[in-house]
Protein backbone atom coordinates (compact mmCIF):
# COMPACT_ATOMS: atom_id res chain seq x y z
CA UNK A 1 0.00 0.00 0.00
CA UNK A 2 1.02 3.61 -0.37
CA UNK A 3 1.77 6.08 2.38
CA UNK A 4 0.68 9.69 2.40
CA UNK A 5 2.44 11.73 -0.27
CA UNK A 6 2.53 8.83 -2.76
CA UNK A 7 5.54 7.03 -1.23
CA UNK A 8 5.43 3.26 -1.22
CA UNK A 9 5.72 1.39 2.08
CA UNK A 10 8.91 -0.54 2.81
CA UNK A 11 6.85 -3.78 2.87
CA UNK A 12 5.53 -3.13 -0.63
CA UNK A 13 9.03 -2.28 -1.92
CA UNK A 14 10.34 -5.60 -0.55
CA UNK A 15 7.40 -7.47 -2.12
CA UNK A 16 8.17 -5.89 -5.51
CA UNK A 17 11.89 -6.79 -5.25
CA UNK A 18 11.23 -10.42 -4.34
CA UNK A 19 8.56 -10.83 -7.00
CA UNK A 20 11.02 -9.58 -9.63
CA UNK A 21 13.71 -11.95 -8.30
CA UNK A 22 11.32 -14.95 -8.45
CA UNK A 23 10.38 -14.15 -12.01
CA UNK A 24 14.06 -14.13 -13.05
CA UNK A 25 14.67 -17.74 -11.96
CA UNK A 26 15.49 -19.82 -15.07
CA UNK A 27 12.87 -22.43 -16.01
CA UNK A 28 15.23 -25.38 -15.47
CA UNK A 29 16.05 -24.22 -11.93
CA UNK A 30 12.37 -23.68 -11.17
CA UNK A 31 11.54 -27.20 -12.41
CA UNK A 32 14.35 -28.68 -10.29
CA UNK A 33 13.02 -26.83 -7.23
CA UNK A 34 9.51 -28.15 -7.91
CA UNK A 35 10.85 -31.72 -8.13
CA UNK A 36 12.76 -31.33 -4.85
CA UNK A 37 9.65 -29.94 -3.16
CA UNK A 38 7.57 -32.88 -4.40
CA UNK A 39 10.09 -35.38 -3.08
CA UNK A 40 10.34 -33.67 0.31
CA UNK A 41 6.60 -33.15 0.76
CA UNK A 42 5.66 -36.71 -0.13
CA UNK A 43 7.77 -37.92 2.76
CA UNK A 44 6.23 -35.49 5.25
CA UNK A 45 2.49 -35.72 4.63
CA UNK A 46 0.73 -38.30 6.86
CA UNK A 47 -1.34 -41.03 5.19
CA UNK A 48 -4.93 -39.90 4.61
CA UNK A 49 -4.26 -36.19 5.13
CA UNK A 50 -6.12 -33.65 3.04
CA UNK A 51 -3.52 -31.52 1.28
CA UNK A 52 -4.00 -27.84 0.49
CA UNK A 53 -1.92 -26.53 -2.38
CA UNK A 54 -1.99 -23.69 -4.86
CA UNK A 55 -1.45 -22.97 -8.54
CA UNK A 56 1.89 -21.23 -8.98
CA UNK A 57 1.55 -17.59 -10.00
CA UNK A 58 4.18 -15.03 -10.91
CA UNK A 59 7.28 -17.07 -10.17
CA UNK A 60 6.05 -19.04 -7.15
CA UNK A 61 7.40 -22.57 -6.73
CA UNK A 62 5.25 -24.97 -8.77
CA UNK A 63 3.75 -27.47 -6.34
CA UNK A 64 1.77 -29.32 -9.03
CA UNK A 65 4.32 -32.17 -9.18
CA UNK A 66 3.90 -32.62 -5.42
CA UNK A 67 0.10 -32.46 -5.66
CA UNK A 68 0.12 -35.04 -8.47
CA UNK A 69 2.33 -37.40 -6.47
CA UNK A 70 0.22 -36.97 -3.33
CA UNK A 71 -2.98 -37.54 -5.30
CA UNK A 72 -1.50 -40.75 -6.73
CA UNK A 73 -0.90 -41.87 -3.11
CA UNK A 74 -4.61 -41.36 -2.34
CA UNK A 75 -4.59 -37.93 -0.73
CA UNK A 76 -7.52 -35.57 -1.25
CA UNK A 77 -6.49 -32.16 -2.54
CA UNK A 78 -7.86 -28.65 -2.27
CA UNK A 79 -6.90 -25.25 -3.65
CA UNK A 80 -7.71 -21.78 -2.30
CA UNK A 81 -10.75 -19.92 -3.47
CA UNK A 82 -10.09 -16.23 -3.95
CA UNK A 83 -12.85 -13.71 -3.45
CA UNK A 84 -12.66 -10.21 -2.00
CA UNK A 85 -9.36 -9.16 -0.39
CA UNK A 86 -10.95 -8.79 3.07
CA UNK A 87 -12.70 -12.20 3.06
CA UNK A 88 -11.32 -15.17 4.98
CA UNK A 89 -9.25 -17.65 3.00
CA UNK A 90 -11.10 -20.86 2.13
CA UNK A 91 -10.31 -23.98 0.10
CA UNK A 92 -12.28 -25.97 -2.46
CA UNK A 93 -11.84 -29.65 -3.26
CA UNK A 94 -9.82 -30.20 -6.45
CA UNK A 95 -8.54 -33.23 -8.35
CA UNK A 96 -5.50 -33.26 -10.64
CA UNK A 97 -6.67 -32.58 -14.18
CA UNK A 98 -9.96 -30.92 -13.20
CA UNK A 99 -10.77 -27.64 -14.90
CA UNK A 100 -9.97 -24.41 -13.12
CA UNK A 101 -11.37 -20.93 -13.66
CA UNK A 102 -9.64 -17.57 -13.40
CA UNK A 103 -10.25 -16.06 -10.01
CA UNK A 104 -9.41 -12.67 -8.62
CA UNK A 105 -6.01 -11.42 -9.79
CA UNK A 106 -6.05 -13.94 -12.67
CA UNK A 107 -5.10 -16.81 -10.37
CA UNK A 108 -6.60 -20.18 -11.36
CA UNK A 109 -9.04 -21.53 -8.76
CA UNK A 110 -11.40 -24.52 -8.51
CA UNK A 111 -14.81 -24.10 -10.12
CA UNK A 112 -17.40 -22.32 -7.98
CA UNK A 113 -19.49 -25.50 -7.51
CA UNK A 114 -16.60 -27.47 -5.99
CA UNK A 115 -17.12 -28.42 -2.33
CA UNK A 116 -15.57 -26.12 0.27
Amino acid sequence: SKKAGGLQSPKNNIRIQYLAARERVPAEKAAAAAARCAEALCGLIPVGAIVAGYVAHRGEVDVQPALSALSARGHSLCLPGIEAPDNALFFRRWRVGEALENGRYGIPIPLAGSPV
Side-chain angles (χ1 to χ4, degrees), residues 1-112:
S1 65
K2 296 195 177 209
K3 289 184 175 182
L7 298 176
Q8 291 193 358
S9 72
K11 181 180 176 182
N12 197 46
N13 287 337
I14 292 168
R15 182 180 291 120
I16 290 167
Q17 290 172 4
Y18 278 95
L19 178 59
R22 279 195 333 225
E23 290 178 335
R24 287 192 304 268
V25 174
E28 62 276 359
K29 285 190 176 186
R36 285 193 308 274
C37 284
E39 185 178 323
L41 286 173
C42 285
L44 295 174
I45 307 295
V47 173
I50 297 171
V51 178
Y54 62 90
V55 176
H57 184 70
R58 299 186 72 185
E60 294 171 331
V61 172
D62 183 4
V63 297
Q64 292 305 306
L67 295 178
S68 293
L70 290 165
S71 176
R73 293 177 183 212
H75 290 278
S76 295
L77 306 175
C78 56
L79 298 175
I82 302 168
E83 291 182 345
D86 294 335
N87 288 6
L89 182 64
F90 67 96
F91 291 83
R92 291 190 183 278
R93 179 71 52 114
W94 177 77
R95 290 179 178 85
V96 174
E98 279 186 343
L100 297 167
E101 61 187 353
N102 278 335
R104 191 174 183 84
Y105 313 113
I107 298 171
I109 60 171
L111 302 176

